[in-house]
Amino acid sequence: MSDFVAKKGVKNLQHKDEKLITTHCCYCGMQCGMHIRVHKRTGEVRGVEPRYDWPVTMGKMCPKGVTAYQTIEHEDRIKKPLIKKNGKFVEASWEEALDLIEKNYKGLQSKYGKDALSVFGGVSMTNEKCYLVGKYARVALGTRYIDYNGRFCMSSAAGGFIRTFGVDRGSTLPWTELEHSDCFFMAGSNTAECHPTSIQWFWKAKDKGAKMIVVDPRETPTARVADVHLDLKPGTDSALANGMMHILVKEGYVDEAYVQERCNNYEQLKEQVAHFTPEYTSEKTGISIEKILKAAHIFGRSKRSVVMFARGVEQQSKGVDNVALYSSMSLLKGHIGKFASGVATFTGQGNGQGGREHGQKSDLLPGYRKLTDPEAVKYISSVWGIDPEEMPKPGVSAYEMFDEIQKGNIRAMHVICSNPAVSAPNTEYIWDGFKKLDFLVVSDFFLSETAEYADVVLPATSWAEDEGTTTNIEGRVIRIRKVREPYGDSKTDWQIMSEIAKRMGKEKHFDYKNVSEIFEEFRLATKGGKADYYGVTYDKIDEQDGVFWPCPSEDHPGTPTMFKERFATEDGKANLAIVDWREPGEIPTEDYPHILTTGRVVYHYLSGNQTRRVNFLMEQCPLPYVEMHPELASQYNFQDGDFCKLTTRRSSMTVEVKLTKAIREDTVFIPYHWGKELSVNQLTNPCLDPISRMPEFKVCAVKLQKIAEYEMPSPI
Ligand SMILES: Nc1nc2c(c(=O)[nH]1)N[C@H]1C(S)=C(S)[C@@H](COP(=O)(O)OP(=O)(O)OC[C@H]3O[C@@H](n4cnc5c(=O)[nH]c(N)nc54)[C@H](O)[C@@H]3O)O[C@H]1N2
Ligand SMILES: Nc1nc2c(c(=O)[nH]1)N[C@H]1C(S)=C(S)[C@@H](COP(=O)(O)OP(=O)(O)OC[C@H]3O[C@@H](n4cnc5c(=O)[nH]c(N)nc54)[C@H](O)[C@@H]3O)O[C@H]1N2
Ligand code: SF4
Ligand SMILES: [Mo]
């Protein structure tokens, strides 16, 4: 067990019977610094202390983070492998479970070919594990079908950043500079609930006079404290961003010298935004002309602005366009690559940044290398010790893997660290896919809604039972430490993948004794790639409070600020976005007259498989509900607490009405942290962005109906 205790600032916190293990919260991309309190003699996990000397979060934590330790020794933990027999799970030994996996995998591959197997990954895991998932699919199983839950999360940000800047690092600046910024333009981010500990930076800046503009169809806790709240109609961000740029150009707010020197496409951009007058923008977005002008002037006058966005703008069928457009606003101001200014997306999951760089995506290899680039294939093959000919070709995106199941091409799936039965769009299609599979394996530490469909469930260790690195919201690589020994008979994900690899005859490629060995191979695999971690070492992370990638050599300090001199494109220039306005995949009609959008609440995390097991969080928010404006409610005679049946072109669900004026009259909102009949993803539209293949979780057309009596199903 790791004995590491931070040198600074913990002495007074320590109880004599306990030791403090320094690590980071397992949930969101803020990766708040914390110590876990462990009993010295018994090893029992006792609680948590926020870490005051962690420079990004400085002792702040949110309700999920302070209760996360309660999941580690939770009675629902899966203790042994489970095998489904006659429709019921029975406990089994690892031998038995692995034998069954080997038999099925080999059988299916000999009958249908290598690509009969597939892997669905996730990024609540360390870099070491995320890296290994890609290698596991391509080397151990030899299949082209691998993708991961970040496809539903960061893929549009990635697509937009690559198009604009040539590389996808979520933040171009370190968070610790935010207090010196003078304007935040935040679109589709409810940071107060979703990255709560980042709020302190905005407060500090506001105390010094900074202004905040928030773009959201709801008046969220974030929008409530904004200087201007742009309450747009869902799915209209591309019109708003073009409209903002129209004013920047017209009013002379553009840094012409910067744009001439560092950007492409300026002339085309001016032509493109010409017709986005405030009147036209207001007509498309539903925001008043007055507010559009006010926001544009505040942003235009800023000296150090940060344009920020999150899933509200990215989870759309034009998410990539939105990211490129909002990033272009910052380029016009000449604010990228400079102190306390730039562009940032709020990375979602704990390792949402690192986990998207190293090969879980269907077309990527470690270090952001492309599977379609022969040089990249050659290099990674050499690191992996395989013949380049053996490297599988690119597969398909997360949702599209379910199309391959329907076509009979994918016959088995191994889900590692995700719960798509709740979190994928159009869940009835997903559930049907799971039923059609010949064989489903799920690695998790709690029995998820996805695991219920499995033939074999493998008990993985939780975030607290292994060590490694993650990359936070800023692009800072940090260390996760082991808090206790694996619970029950659970094994780490890397051990599980290595065991299966052995049975597939690939032992020599997965012969790891510990995490450090994987980290060393991983560093080498990223060497020379766009996301270069070669110079990151565990010691350097400890010495510097983390290391920002790219960090190409051991004597390199890392890169807190991106693009100081050049962008990562071929010509070194950024590409301004030339994009016209287009409608979302579904717009309201007579049959489905309103807009449904979905998202989060502060008390729950993603599919809820972890947070629905924490009593405090369930007391605060036990069930989903639909937020509705009183004006809209009056059309149907809804009172607060009435039952509303919502129907889209996919399916229906029933939840309680929560009346609030903090939402547009044409839009309703449901949080998505529950499964089965309580999953809002029964309703969502799987219309995909053409580039990122991101589903349109944020906009679909819906109809409402009052239901007199309804018994809400159990939330767990
Ligand atoms: N409490 C909590 N925190 C989390 C998570 C969690 O599950 N719970 N998950 C983590 C993860 S993985 C992620 S990805 C992040 C997500 O963080 P956010 O993206 O901030 O969260 P969401 O609630 O999905 O969406 C943000 C906002 O987008 C708005 N929105 C909806 N449609 C539109 C639109 O068309 N345009 C614009 N501009 N806005 C729109 C919604 O009203 C919502 O307030 O949070 C991370 N942090
Ligand atoms: N309607 C709607 N749907 C959405 C979204 C939305 O805004 N609206 N947001 C999307 C977004 S941004 C995201 S990120 C996805 C997330 O969707 P999911 O991938 O389903 O997210 P989680 O609930 O975190 O699922 C992770 C699972 O892995 C387990 N787990 C955690 N850590 C580990 C580990 O180290 N190893 C293993 N083996 N298992 C582990 C957890 O217990 C949990 O069951 O949902 C997407 N779905
Ligand atoms: S803000 Fe994010 S990382 Fe911090 S405690 Fe909350 S969930 Fe954990
Ligand atoms: Mo996410």
Side-chain angles (χ1 to χ4, degrees):
M1 187 177 293
S2 161
D3 256 334
F4 183 91
V5 172
K7 291 177 266 332
K8 300 168 281 180
V10 297
K11 270 202 199 104
N12 299 338
L13 303 175
Q14 220 166 337
H15 185 276
K16 67 178 172 34
D17 294 338
E18 294 173 0
K19 58 182 170 183
L20 298 176
I21 314 269
T22 303
T23 188
H24 296 271
C25 173
C26 58
Y27 294 126
C28 87
M30 288 307 292
Q31 291 287 278
C32 295
M34 66 181 190
H35 310 284
I36 297 286
R37 294 169 37 207
V38 175
H39 192 273
K40 275 186 189 158
R41 194 169 39 80
T42 62
E44 177 203 2
V45 173
R46 287 242 175 127
V48 62
E49 291 287 348
R51 190 179 159 191
Y52 293 91
D53 62 344
W54 179 246
V56 194
T57 51
M58 298 182 303
K60 303 283 191 296
M61 292 186 76
C62 82
K64 292 180 301 305
V66 292
T67 51
Y69 77 92
Q70 295 174 7
T71 61
I72 305 172
E73 294 169 355
H74 195 286
E75 58 182 6
D76 293 354
R77 283 285 302 265
I78 309 171
K79 296 177 197 67
K80 279 175 162 294
L82 305 173
I83 294 179
K84 199 175 271 165
K85 290 184 181 157
N86 302 322
K88 286 223 161 17
F89 284 122
V90 289
E91 289 191 344
S93 67
W94 276 100
E95 266 323 284
E96 244 180 294
L98 292 168
D99 281 350
L100 191 62
I101 292 171
E102 179 184 342
K103 185 172 134 238
N104 277 279
Y105 278 7
K106 286 185 172 162
L108 289 168
Q109 279 192 327
S110 67
K111 198 160 165 201
Y112 302 103
K114 293 241 166 198
D115 294 335
L117 308 187
S118 65
V119 177
F120 194 111
V123 292
S124 284
M125 293 185 286
T126 58
N127 286 314
E128 290 82 343
K129 288 175 185 165
C130 290
Y131 159 76
L132 210 63
V133 175
K135 180 174 172 186
Y136 166 69
R138 296 183 176 108
V139 179
L141 308 185
T143 178
R144 66 159 60 193
Y145 290 121
I146 166 167
D147 212 59
Y148 80 120
N149 67 5
R151 186 69 77 169
F152 300 151
C153 183
M154 303 310 300
S155 62
S156 290
F161 285 153
I162 289 167
R163 189 201 280 178
T164 313
F165 307 129
V167 70
D168 157 37
R169 201 188 81 180
S171 178
T172 67
L173 76 162
W175 240 236
T176 45
E177 287 179 7
L178 291 175
E179 64 175 298
H180 304 290
S181 312
D182 66 0
C183 177
F184 302 104
F185 186 99
M186 282 188 198
S189 152
N190 181 10
T191 184
E193 291 198 73
C194 297
H195 301 87
T197 58
S198 68
I199 282 288
Q200 58 185 321
W201 295 107
F202 308 119
W203 283 177
K204 281 187 189 173
K206 269 181 136 269
D207 285 347
K208 295 179 203 163
K211 296 276 190 277
M212 211 162 127
I213 299 156
V214 171
V215 187
D216 198 306
R218 301 156 60 220
E219 193 185 289
T220 58
T222 318
R224 228 168 282 156
V225 294
D227 297 277
V228 190
H229 172 210
L230 302 177
D231 49 347
L232 87 176
K233 190 154 80 171
T236 62
D237 293 86
S238 57
L240 176 65
N242 274 313
M244 294 296 293
M245 291 198 280
H246 172 97
I247 302 169
L248 296 182
V249 170
K250 190 160 164 243
E251 301 289 332
Y253 288 128
V254 176
D255 181 341
E256 299 276 342
Y258 181 99
V259 170
Q260 291 302 340
E261 193 197 338
R262 302 204 53 187
C263 305
N264 294 318
N265 310 338
Y266 185 41
E267 291 310 313
Q268 295 103 297
L269 181 126
K270 282 193 279 191
E271 262 172 53
Q272 178 62 55
V273 301
H275 68 286
F276 282 90
T277 59
E279 292 72 21
Y280 180 72
T281 307
S282 168
E283 185 195 311
K284 291 292 171 210
T285 60
I287 309 169
S288 73
I289 296 176
E290 197 190 349
K291 282 203 217 170
I292 293 171
L293 287 168
K294 189 172 174 196
H297 285 294
I298 291 177
F299 181 74
R301 290 194 195 107
S302 67
K303 300 272 181 292
R304 289 175 183 162
S305 71
V306 190
V307 174
M308 313 184 91
F309 35 83
R311 302 314 82 75
V313 312
E314 297 163 16
Q315 289 171 333
Q316 298 186 23
S317 56
K318 49 183 182 294
V320 171
D321 286 349
N322 290 340
V323 168
L325 283 163
Y326 280 128
S327 301
S328 297
M329 280 175 52
S330 181
L331 286 167
L332 289 188
K333 285 294 300 163
H335 280 181
I336 297 182
K338 295 186 182 157
F339 178 71
S341 45
V343 170
T345 183
F346 286 89
T347 286
Q349 297 168 80
N351 196 25
Q353 176 75 61
R356 72 182 188 258
E357 302 159 357
H358 304 296
Q360 288 201 72
K361 222 174 184 175
S362 61
D363 56 348
L364 282 188
L365 290 171
Y368 273 140
R369 288 185 163 85
K370 283 210 177 98
L371 208 40
T372 45
D373 168 7
E375 282 306 308
V377 169
K378 219 164 108 190
Y379 178 70
I380 296 296
S381 300
S382 75
V383 176
W384 288 350
I386 61 168
D387 188 324
E389 294 293 311
E390 291 173 61
M391 184 73 83
K393 299 283 174 264
V396 297
S397 77
Y399 186 79
E400 290 165 297
M401 288 215 278
F402 289 83
D403 297 336
E404 296 305 317
I405 295 174
Q406 294 294 340
K407 288 185 224 156
N409 294 333
I410 290 178
R411 315 292 306 199
M413 185 176 274
H414 187 172
V415 179
I416 305 172
C417 191
S418 184
N419 189 8
V422 176
S423 54
N426 190 17
T427 38
E428 282 178 19
Y429 186 64
I430 304 296
W431 302 338
D432 187 59
F434 283 139
K435 284 188 215 145
K436 285 220 164 69
L437 283 172
D438 293 322
F439 194 62
L440 174 64
V441 181
V442 174
S443 298
D444 206 310
F445 45 80
F446 289 131
L447 198 74
S448 64
E449 286 78 1
T450 303
E452 287 180 27
Y453 290 98
D455 297 286
V456 180
V457 181
L458 300 174
T461 52
S462 75
W463 52 280
E465 293 146 57
D466 197 14
E467 56 184 3
T469 60
T470 58
T471 307
N472 79 351
I473 197 162
E474 306 164 284
R476 188 194 296 251
V477 187
I478 58 180
R479 281 187 80 180
I480 304 300
R481 289 191 175 76
K482 182 170 168 177
V483 171
R484 56 158 285 151
E485 291 304 319
Y487 189 80
D489 276 356
S490 59
K491 287 182 193 282
T492 68
D493 292 292
W494 65 265
Q495 286 168 330
I496 297 172
M497 289 184 275
S498 302
E499 295 271 354
I500 298 175
K502 196 186 289 178
R503 286 166 179 267
M504 300 303 282
K506 302 290 177 181
E507 185 174 4
K508 75 172 180 183
H509 304 283
F510 288 82
D511 186 20
Y512 305 109
K513 285 187 270 314
N514 51 45
V515 177
S516 304
E517 287 188 0
I518 305 173
F519 185 65
E520 291 309 314
E521 181 183 299
F522 157 74
R523 285 176 56 204
L524 191 64
T526 69
K527 191 176 183 208
K530 283 198 167 171
D532 193 332
Y533 283 53
Y534 184 65
V536 182
T537 64
Y538 288 162
D539 286 345
K540 200 194 279 185
I541 296 176
D542 291 343
E543 281 155 23
Q544 298 185 182
D545 282 334
V547 181
F548 289 80
W549 71 262
C551 180
S553 62
E554 286 191 14
D555 57 2
H556 190 289
T559 314
T561 307
M562 295 291 279
F563 315 130
K564 277 188 177 159
E565 267 120 44
R566 68 189 309 279
F567 292 94
T569 50
E570 255 171 44
D571 63 3
K573 290 189 176 191
N575 298 313
L576 291 166
I578 315 300
V579 180
D580 203 353
W581 145 256
R582 67 185 151 89
E583 296 278 10
E586 252 179 32
I587 51 170
T589 57
E590 219 172 281
D591 291 344
Y592 300 94
H594 312 293
I595 304 171
L596 168 68
T597 191
T598 66
R600 298 158 163 78
V601 294
V602 70
Y603 297 110
H604 285 288
Y605 188 65
L606 303 179
S607 76
N609 193 31
Q610 294 168 83
T611 49
R612 277 186 275 125
R613 296 175 203 273
V614 176
N615 290 340
F616 168 74
L617 302 174
M618 283 305 273
E619 279 166 16
Q620 300 302 312
C621 185
L623 286 164
Y625 49 81
V626 56
E627 277 183 13
M628 200 184 288
H629 193 282
E631 279 299 318
L632 175 57
S634 69
Q635 288 176 31
Y636 296 86
N637 203 15
F638 278 122
Q639 307 295 320
D640 206 41
D642 282 353
F643 290 109
C644 173
K645 181 173 174 192
L646 297 101
T647 306
T648 67
R649 290 191 178 83
R650 271 72 51 197
S651 187
S652 302
M653 77 184 288
T654 301
V655 284
E656 274 187 29
V657 171
K658 185 171 167 180
L659 291 185
T660 172
K661 286 189 177 155
I663 188 164
R664 289 176 59 89
E665 287 172 26
D666 54 9
T667 303
V668 294
F669 167 87
I670 302 181
Y672 89 100
H673 313 286
W674 291 263
K676 301 179 182 169
E677 304 99 304
L678 295 174
S679 169
V680 71
N681 277 324
Q682 295 170 102
L683 309 187
T684 48
N685 188 0
C687 170
L688 305 181
D689 179 288
I691 295 162
S692 66
R693 318 307 283 164
M694 165 74 85
E696 195 145 61
F697 289 119
K698 288 294 187 263
V699 197
C700 68
V702 67
K703 72 176 160 204
L704 312 177
Q705 192 188 337
K706 192 163 162 171
I707 298 282
E709 296 283 325
Y710 185 71
E711 195 169 333
M712 290 292 279
S714 161
I716 300 191

